[in-house]
Amino acid sequence: MTWATIATWRMAYEGMQKASEILAADGSAGDAVEKLINEVEAYPYYKSVGYGGLPNEEGVVEMDAAFMDGDTLAQGSVAGIQNVMHAVSVARSLSSEHYNSFRVGAGATKYASLHGFEMTNMLTDRAKARWQKRLRETQENNLNPYNGHDTVGAITLSNKGSMAAATSTSGLFMKKSGRVGDSPLSGSGFYVDSEIGGAAATGLGEDIMKGCMSYEIVRRMADGQSPQAACDEAVYPFIEKLKKRYGKAGEFSLVALNNQGEWGIATNVEFTFCVATDQQAPKIMIAYPDANQTTRIEPITKEWLDAYEKRIKEPI
Amino acid sequence: MTWATIATWRMAYEGMQKASEILAADGSAGDAVEKLINEVEAYPYYKSVGYGGLPNEEGVVEMDAAFMDGDTLAQGSVAGIQNVMHAVSVARSLSSEHYNSFRVGAGATKYASLHGFEMTNMLTDRAKARWQKRLRETQENNLNPYNGHDTVGAITLSNKGSMAAATSTSGLFMKKSGRVGDSPLSGSGFYVDSEIGGAAATGLGEDIMKGCMSYEIVRRMADGQSPQAACDEAVYPFIEKLKKRYGKAGEFSLVALNNQGEWGIATNVEFTFCVATDQQAPKIMIAYPDANQTTRIEPITKEWLDAYEKRIKEPI
């Protein structure tokens, strides 16, 4: 067997290095995907996930996360959880419960507290400064307050053929309290079946859930499509359908991995992602929507990476 | 065109009468499905939905609901909302928002309050007595506290060919605070597309969401299957898959309606439901799982209805 992993955005890179070590050492798909996401959650300069994540309109960091075991189909999810360093680890713990495996709001936070998860104030000074600035901008210029909704979502395949999926996000910047996106929702933000493959999403959750995009990609792989064909044929026609029926479509991007280690991407915006396999060290790539409902994928450039590094650390 | 509606459980009957009047008078699919659910929410003797719904383990009535417009694919959902008489109406209101259309916990309750929805203490004396009794029983006899998780879910088709879907539930009796089932989750508890059809679920949400059952049924109807074939072929193999992979499968039941007014059912337990069309006055029927992954459907008997009426009103 081969191991493999794919994840959304440049921010997954450092976590993917750790996940790859676990997978290369015959570790479990679940341990690898949790470790990958934990690294993103803990890094304060990634402003859409975990510590340093941007708050809701009231200045409160509310997080959504999910974990799914592709062998058993067990799932755990949290939404609107507060003060928890590793929301994905809470979700993974919940996935061992047959009842009450999806908890929201104060009930989710209570579960984390009762079960000894690390709790802290998740609003960094930097995130608070961004929130204060955005509040001023939206008041002064009557701007749409919403932007930034980058979820880290990842799929892993172990040497033993087991798969797992997980997501974590602080959600839409300036969201209303208790707003939930696709990330904790089965079939929308994530789905994985070790006998087929998995998919995960990032983007405007309100639109992703209108099409159950992750489930649709997995069921296309079940019908024999390659991950890339499944992504292209699920995502691009759905974007057209949304424009026609709903009048508009938000930004969204999907990653998929099958149980042979093959992967695919679809996106309607510039979108970075990370991939690693037993044949390929962790690598950052960039994808764009291309002509005829296909996806163009290119290596990342040093210029892009340097500009990114500068951007995430620039003064607020 | 023909109008039609299908809904889960005997409890939908009175609401379906009102919904049928709306549909017969060329009313909208959305108005009809909301009215159907509202009637169930307001009736105190239905103990799993709205007013009179059973509380969580702390004695708090927390409700989940969703609304979907099959023309535009717009969705609104609430989970863990409190003190709201008509959770489905809050969900429908949220479906007109492009951002923040799914709200949970205190944020969901705040939205309802801000938007002038009727708010009241949803814990009836009768529901409180049941909760107190169950608390004693589980403490004294070390019983599994969970039972009763009957969602009202409904699909409507209007004379103009528009469809809508909605769900409402107080969730699993004795659930942990903030527990969310499938009812507010797109593709799991509900899904509808006016160009195809819709489906809705009731049962153990934790297991229904492992298979995105409502979406799976709709996509099978999109491939040309009848609603009954789509229900049978989506639900029964998935129950077998869950038993094999997860080790067990909770109770669940699905209803489906296509845009021609044809309907279907699948269930792994005795399951009542209601149907009405322009050719058929509202009617209660009963379904059972049958041999070879099929569903047996029978007219309801007077004995069953009398026993039900007695049961829902018997002293606690």
Side-chain angles (χ1 to χ4, degrees):
Chain A
M1 298 290 291
T2 178
W3 62 263
T5 172
I6 191 164
T8 59
W9 303 114
R10 152 69 185 89
M11 63 179 158
Y13 181 69
E14 292 81 9
M16 186 168 281
Q17 291 180 309
K18 306 244 173 160
S20 297
E21 290 167 17
I22 293 171
L23 293 168
D26 283 339
S28 82
D31 289 347
V33 83
E34 183 183 3
K35 184 69 179 173
L36 188 158
I37 305 274
N38 281 169
E39 291 290 305
V40 186
E41 289 173 330
Y43 189 65
Y45 287 99
Y46 296 144
K47 63 183 169 55
S48 56
V49 177
Y51 188 67
L54 292 172
N56 69 17
E57 67 170 4
E58 298 172 17
V60 178
V61 182
E62 292 188 320
M63 295 159 290
D64 304 339
F67 175 90
M68 183 168 182
D69 179 324
D71 290 352
T72 63
L73 310 177
Q75 302 177 339
S77 288
V78 292
I81 196 169
Q82 294 180 23
N83 308 319
V84 170
M85 181 57 90
H86 294 298
V88 78
S89 299
V90 181
R92 188 182 187 190
S93 172
L94 282 166
S95 74
S96 66
E97 309 277 343
H98 190 201
Y99 299 99
N100 304 292
S101 51
F102 190 162
R103 302 279 295 271
V104 302
T109 306
K110 180 187 282 190
Y111 175 89
S113 174
L114 276 171
H115 288 76
F117 285 93
E118 181 183 351
M119 302 192 71
T120 188
N121 187 338
M122 298 296 281
L123 186 69
T124 59
D125 289 345
R126 190 176 170 81
K128 185 177 175 183
R130 271 189 201 270
W131 169 68
Q132 288 170 323
K133 181 163 178 264
R134 192 76 185 173
L135 216 52
R136 275 197 310 276
E137 286 169 353
T138 51
Q139 282 163 353
E140 285 166 13
N141 307 320
N142 205 19
L143 282 179
N144 180 337
Y146 309 113
N147 79 349
H149 40 68
D150 296 349
T151 297
V152 61
I155 317 291
T156 49
L157 166 67
S158 77
N159 273 331
K160 297 187 181 71
S162 292
M163 299 189 75
T167 60
S168 184
T169 183
S170 50
L172 196 60
F173 180 30
M174 299 295 285
K175 65 187 174 186
K176 302 286 182 187
S177 67
R179 175 266 186 187
V180 175
D182 63 301
S183 303
L185 309 190
S186 173
S188 293
F190 67 94
Y191 198 80
V192 66
D193 181 331
S194 301
E195 294 184 358
I196 306 164
T202 176
L204 186 66
E206 285 83 348
D207 282 350
I208 294 165
M209 67 179 87
K210 291 181 178 84
C212 300
M213 285 283 98
S214 292
Y215 184 81
E216 175 65 20
I217 288 171
V218 174
R219 78 113 184 140
R220 284 176 176 274
M221 293 194 291
D223 284 349
Q225 288 192 337
S226 71
Q228 187 56 53
C231 284
D232 287 344
E233 294 182 31
V235 174
Y236 298 118
F238 181 69
I239 289 167
E240 292 311 306
K241 182 175 176 175
L242 259 191
K243 285 180 184 165
K244 183 173 156 235
R245 304 273 290 276
Y246 188 69
K248 55 199 160 191
E251 300 181 349
F252 52 96
S253 311
L254 274 291
V255 299
L257 180 71
N258 71 11
N259 68 355
Q260 305 302 305
E262 300 163 328
W263 53 268
I265 302 287
T267 181
N268 62 355
V269 289
E270 179 186 295
F271 170 60
T272 56
F273 63 98
C274 301
V275 176
T277 71
D278 57 346
Q279 305 294 315
Q280 168 67 60
K283 186 176 171 183
I284 305 166
M285 304 182 84
I286 192 161
Y288 304 89
D290 209 349
N292 304 314
Q293 308 203 317
T294 60
T295 308
R296 189 171 90 249
I297 295 169
E298 297 176 357
I300 200 75
T301 61
K302 186 170 180 312
E303 291 67 37
W304 193 99
L305 290 171
D306 289 345
Y308 177 83
E309 187 67 17
K310 198 177 154 192
R311 190 166 71 246
I312 66 169
K313 292 183 179 169
E314 71 193 353
I316 307 299
Chain B
M1 297 290 293
T2 178
W3 61 263
T5 172
I6 191 164
T8 59
W9 302 115
R10 150 72 186 90
M11 62 180 159
Y13 182 69
E14 292 81 8
M16 187 167 281
Q17 291 179 309
K18 307 245 172 156
S20 296
E21 289 166 18
I22 293 171
L23 293 168
D26 282 339
S28 83
D31 289 347
V33 82
E34 182 183 4
K35 184 69 179 172
L36 188 157
I37 305 274
N38 281 170
E39 291 291 304
V40 187
E41 288 173 331
Y43 189 65
Y45 288 100
Y46 296 145
K47 63 182 168 58
S48 56
V49 177
Y51 188 66
L54 293 172
N56 70 17
E57 66 170 4
E58 298 171 19
V60 178
V61 182
E62 292 189 320
M63 295 160 290
D64 304 339
F67 175 90
M68 183 168 182
D69 179 324
D71 290 353
T72 63
L73 310 178
Q75 302 177 338
S77 288
V78 292
I81 196 170
Q82 295 180 23
N83 307 320
V84 171
M85 181 56 91
H86 294 299
V88 77
S89 298
V90 182
R92 188 181 187 191
S93 173
L94 282 165
S95 74
S96 65
E97 308 278 342
H98 189 201
Y99 300 99
N100 305 293
S101 51
F102 190 162
R103 302 278 295 269
V104 301
T109 306
K110 180 186 284 189
Y111 175 90
S113 174
L114 275 171
H115 288 75
F117 285 93
E118 181 183 350
M119 301 190 71
T120 188
N121 186 340
M122 298 296 281
L123 186 69
T124 59
D125 289 344
R126 189 175 170 83
K128 185 177 174 183
R130 271 190 200 270
W131 169 68
Q132 287 170 323
K133 180 163 179 265
R134 191 76 184 171
L135 217 51
R136 276 198 309 276
E137 288 169 353
T138 52
Q139 283 163 353
E140 287 167 11
N141 308 319
N142 204 20
L143 282 179
N144 180 339
Y146 308 113
N147 79 348
H149 40 69
D150 296 350
T151 297
V152 61
I155 316 291
T156 50
L157 166 67
S158 77
N159 273 332
K160 298 186 181 72
S162 292
M163 299 189 74
T167 60
S168 184
T169 183
S170 50
L172 196 59
F173 180 30
M174 299 295 285
K175 65 187 175 186
K176 302 284 181 188
S177 66
R179 176 267 186 186
V180 175
D182 62 302
S183 303
L185 309 190
S186 172
S188 293
F190 68 94
Y191 197 80
V192 66
D193 180 332
S194 301
E195 294 183 358
I196 306 164
T202 176
L204 187 66
E206 285 82 347
D207 283 349
I208 294 164
M209 67 179 86
K210 292 180 177 83
C212 300
M213 286 283 98
S214 292
Y215 183 81
E216 176 65 21
I217 288 171
V218 174
R219 78 113 185 142
R220 284 177 176 274
M221 293 195 291
D223 284 349
Q225 288 191 336
S226 71
Q228 188 57 52
C231 284
D232 288 344
E233 294 182 31
V235 174
Y236 298 118
F238 182 69
I239 289 168
E240 293 310 306
K241 183 175 175 173
L242 258 191
K243 286 181 184 164
K244 183 172 156 234
R245 306 273 291 273
Y246 188 68
K248 55 199 161 192
E251 299 181 350
F252 52 97
S253 310
L254 275 291
V255 298
L257 180 72
N258 71 13
N259 68 355
Q260 304 304 305
E262 301 163 327
W263 53 267
I265 302 287
T267 182
N268 62 356
V269 289
E270 178 185 294
F271 169 60
T272 56
F273 63 98
C274 301
V275 177
T277 70
D278 57 346
Q279 305 295 316
Q280 168 66 59
K283 186 176 170 184
I284 305 166
M285 303 182 84
I286 191 161
Y288 304 89
D290 208 348
N292 303 316
Q293 307 203 320
T294 60
T295 308
R296 188 172 90 248
I297 295 169
E298 297 176 356
I300 201 74
T301 62
K302 186 172 180 312
E303 291 66 36
W304 192 98
L305 290 171
D306 290 346
Y308 176 85
E309 188 67 17
K310 199 176 153 194
R311 191 166 69 244
I312 67 169
K313 293 182 178 167
E314 72 193 352
I316 308 299

